[in-house]
Amino acid sequence: MYELSFNGTMFKADIDNARAILGGICWSKGLHTVKRIVYYAGPPQPHPKGLPKLEHVTQIPPPPNNQQPPRPHPAWNALSKEVVRSSYFLRLAYSVSPERDFGAEADVDLNTVAGTLQWFDFPDPPKGQTFTQRRKLEIPGQGNLPMVMTDNKYEFDKELIEESWSFIKDDDFEIAFTRYFKLPEGGVEPPTQLARLPSWSDLAPLDPAEKWLVSIRSFAWEENSPEEVKKAVSQILEEKIFFDKFFTFEAVDRRDLDTRVPPPARTM
């Protein structure tokens, strides 16, 4: 899949008005999500090895008749072909609840929780356009993701909390407001992911100015189809003209989105 986007920032004080505007445009209250994002760094260059060890991959919930599939989802093979060419940072995304999961007294084993594996390619060159275009692959509903990362020599790097409000316009065009929160470091070397999340009220914004990231996105679901990509380009440019009335979009240096190097402070 190709994801095309324009991006900007918004102050915290403006987010409620922005959501109200989007609610009227999209006839929706928007979808509010909170996710725990865990980053894993791939084996160093010059010898990335892909993902050859997938025997611990599971599906959550399991498929009907309680039998595990004979082999992992086909997207794993597609991803392995990409990460064998270059060493990338991969994201594990877990849905969490401020009321249920933060400040809990019990430890959490992320191997037992359904997560989504996310991979983003290095963005394509601008080609005269100011939007960001990059390939994206997601594999949802996966168990044992930290175990699979370790099996394939990926190393834990860091984790953040991602909060977002997203709105859908015309069935497939997305407008999203996103911000990130720091998590306390474990104080050990090498760093490890937390067994328990702190209280929601104790989280500190990643951006000291407490700005939200504003993104408008179109998608080419069939990335090998020139017609699909052309349609997505036409859509993002048309919607950009409309949303310029409400938001200020900024040019993004594609090097800031290079997922072959450590994630930048401003995460997309």
Side-chain angles (χ1 to χ4, degrees), residues 167-226:
F167 298 80
I168 302 299
K169 181 175 182 285
D170 299 330
D171 295 329
D172 64 351
F173 189 81
E174 182 182 30
I175 309 97
F177 307 127
T178 308
R179 63 175 175 173
Y180 292 88
F181 295 93
K182 302 175 184 177
L183 284 172
E185 298 181 358
V188 297
E189 291 293 338
T192 59
Q193 60 200 38
L194 296 177
R196 304 180 188 182
L197 295 176
S199 297
W200 178 257
S201 59
D202 292 338
L203 296 181
L206 185 64
D207 178 11
E210 297 192 50
K211 291 181 179 180
W212 288 68
L213 177 68
V214 181
S215 303
I216 59 173
R217 304 182 183 116
S218 64
F219 305 93
W221 304 103
E222 297 293 336
E223 61 186 55
N224 295 321
S225 168

Side-chain angles (χ1 to χ4, degrees), residues 16 24 39 41 67 76 103 115 121 125 137 146 210 243:
D16 287 342
Y39 290 88
Q67 292 183 0
W76 280 98
D121 201 357
L137 190 152
E210 297 192 50
F243 284 104

